[in-house]
Amino acid sequence: MAEPLDPEMFDPVCPSSAMPIHIGDKWTGMVVLCLEGGRRRFNELKGPLRGITPKVLTQTLRAMERDGLVTRTAYDENPPRVEYELTPLGRSLLTLIEAARAWSKDHLPALLQARQGHDAAPGPRLLR
Amino acid sequence: MAEPLDPEMFDPVCPSSAMPIHIGDKWTGMVVLCLEGGRRRFNELKGPLRGITPKVLTQTLRAMERDGLVTRTAYDENPPRVEYELTPLGRSLLTLIEAARAWSKDHLPALLQARQGHDAAPGPRLLR
DNA sequence: CAGAATCCTTTGCGATACTG
DNA sequence: CAGTATCGCAAAGGATTCTG
């Protein structure tokens, strides 16, 4: 249905935690991106979502399903197969993610630099 | 310098917690909005930020200062006066907030409805 | 394969009281 | 006025193990 997901599509060293904008909870935005190209199976998602535990991935997907962002389709086969797919509502988040990316491209370096400068300061710089 | 802040500028019943997008931590986005119209004093911010404790407001402002989003200016007076102001970087977040608002205007009702429908469902609807 | 069950640690946030 | 100092809790997320 779609190319395999690139296991390295998310840079583990990327300072995304510094981003002042977040989509849903920790993994939600990445899940949306993983599903952008089409439906994916549970274990397929675990590739790029490096280090996510099945418990947390399940939680994340269930919450997204509840909010109408993804659909879950279970096929009655053995071994089991379950596929997740973005709904139009879920797809609408892509515009927000794009806005976040644009912001980070334009401003994240400045934020990081401010943070680093602040951290490097020996202390509350007393006037002298 | 600016009109007093409307103590009710944030609707306490607003389902912002349902929003799949967040600016910084819990209070950051609201602080940015409070500072949009100009510099504000510490206790002035506590008005619209209903229920925030001084500890948490201090934390929030310190984190924002560290990231270069606000500046803090302390005047050597008695009683003390401290003013916070958005930097251009902090101001750049307004575009993101605007994007979030646009998204929520267009899609949040659908999300809320999906959630409500899901919660009302008696159980995993087995095919029959 | 796609989870469920259990346990545990971290962090965010709040309540309350005190201070230069 | 503008904070600081403690205490405490609940929730998010992770590690590990087990199963239809």
Side-chain angles (χ1 to χ4, degrees), chain B residues 77-88:
Chain B
E77 299 171 0
N78 198 304
R81 180 165 57 104
V82 177
E83 291 186 336
Y84 293 91
E85 186 175 17
L86 283 180
T87 63

Side-chain angles (χ1 to χ4, degrees), chain A residues 25-27 51 53 55-56 80:
Chain A
D25 277 338
K26 183 170 181 184
W27 301 95
T53 62
K55 184 193 107 179
V56 174

Side-chain angles (χ1 to χ4, degrees), chain A residues 62-94:
Chain A
R62 292 279 195 276
M64 293 177 72
E65 195 190 356
R66 168 174 184 247
D67 285 349
L69 303 178
V70 300
T71 56
R72 175 181 183 278
T73 313
Y75 299 88
D76 196 357
E77 301 172 355
N78 198 302
R81 180 165 58 104
V82 177
E83 290 185 335
Y84 293 90
E85 186 176 16
L86 283 181
T87 62
L89 183 58
R91 213 162 267 287
S92 75
L93 288 176
L94 288 168

